[in-house]
Amino acid sequence: MNITIRKEEKKDYKTVFNLVEKAFEKELMSDHKEQELVERLRNSEAFVPELSLVAEIGEQIVGYVLLTKIQIVNETFETESLAMAPVAVLPEFQGKGVGGRLIESAHEKAKRLGFGSVVLLGHEGYYPRFGYEMAKKYGIRLPFEVPDENCMVIELVEKALQHANGIVKYPKEFGIE
């Protein structure tokens, strides 16, 4: 299966909205509003257009990933990082490597743009294969209650998180205080 990863364009927005909605439709651990979050984040200061990626098979968009800027804050230090949310693949293309290709491409692009790490809330059985570890290893916490095994982080650059212990500060568009 030939999967092409490219930067999302404005003409893709409606397709991506529908794709994200469909991808999370049957997900139990979801508020089913991820597609609305994407729209809010596109209009935020945290948005990095080069880190909004689609996966195509032929002419069809079958997957999407978005990385947006966040901060990891403690009493003395603030570290810029990225949040991966969401990763979405149409149900009929799940389990075929589309999500993995999106994640790997997003990591490569983020590293080229100078970002050192990515934080995510996700399935503990899936993300470690891409190098994600529990965030608590670095003293990083999310600003809400979540099982440690679902709060993960990856260093794209060695030692990017050496001073990053603290709480993740999401853009206001996430709706998290």
Side-chain angles (χ1 to χ4, degrees):
M1 189 179 321
N2 192 12
I3 303 167
T4 304
I5 308 294
R6 66 169 174 81
K7 181 180 155 191
E8 178 191 40
E9 300 171 13
K10 279 189 171 36
K11 67 180 174 68
D12 302 323
Y13 287 3
K14 182 163 180 42
T15 300
V16 167
F17 183 94
N18 293 331
L19 179 150
V20 173
E21 184 175 43
K22 191 168 180 121
F24 285 93
E25 199 170 50
K26 295 186 173 136
E27 182 61 43
L28 296 177
M29 302 302 287
S30 168
D31 65 1
H32 306 287
K33 294 181 181 178
E34 289 82 2
Q35 66 279 5
E36 296 168 15
L37 172 62
V38 169
E39 291 199 328
R40 289 192 307 272
L41 287 170
R42 279 193 200 110
N43 295 307
S44 75
E45 291 181 19
F47 185 65
V48 181
E50 296 83 3
L51 298 176
S52 182
L53 305 174
V54 296
E56 290 180 317
I57 296 176
E59 299 294 313
Q60 183 182 8
I61 295 175
V62 299
Y64 177 73
V65 66
L66 178 61
L67 298 178
T68 49
K69 292 187 271 187
I70 59 167
Q71 303 294 321
I72 302 168
V73 181
N74 63 35
E75 302 77 35
T76 57
F77 208 74
E78 198 167 284
T79 303
E80 185 171 64
S81 185
L82 295 166
M84 183 181 296
V87 178
V89 177
L90 287 174
E92 59 269 30
F93 290 93
Q94 291 175 6
K96 299 180 188 308
V98 175
R101 287 283 309 280
L102 281 164
I103 292 166
E104 290 164 355
S105 294
H107 287 169
E108 290 169 21
K109 289 189 185 313
K111 188 174 178 178
R112 277 199 307 265
L113 291 170
F115 292 98
S117 62
V118 180
V119 175
L120 65 78
L121 174 62
H123 294 288
E124 69 276 6
Y126 182 69
Y127 291 98
R129 71 182 77 168
F130 302 103
Y132 282 87
E133 304 174 274
M134 282 197 288
K136 81 174 193 174
K137 172 182 174 183
Y138 297 91
I140 297 169
R141 299 178 315 284
L142 298 184
F144 47 84
E145 288 297 315
V146 61
D148 288 340
E149 60 271 13
N150 300 115
C151 176
M152 291 175 263
V153 66
I154 186 172
E155 283 187 310
L156 302 174
V157 175
E158 192 175 340
K159 298 189 191 260
L161 295 171
Q162 70 181 13
H163 300 294
N165 63 315
I167 297 176
V168 173
K169 183 178 175 191
Y170 288 97
K172 69 181 180 305
E173 289 78 10
F174 271 89
I176 300 166
E177 295 302 321

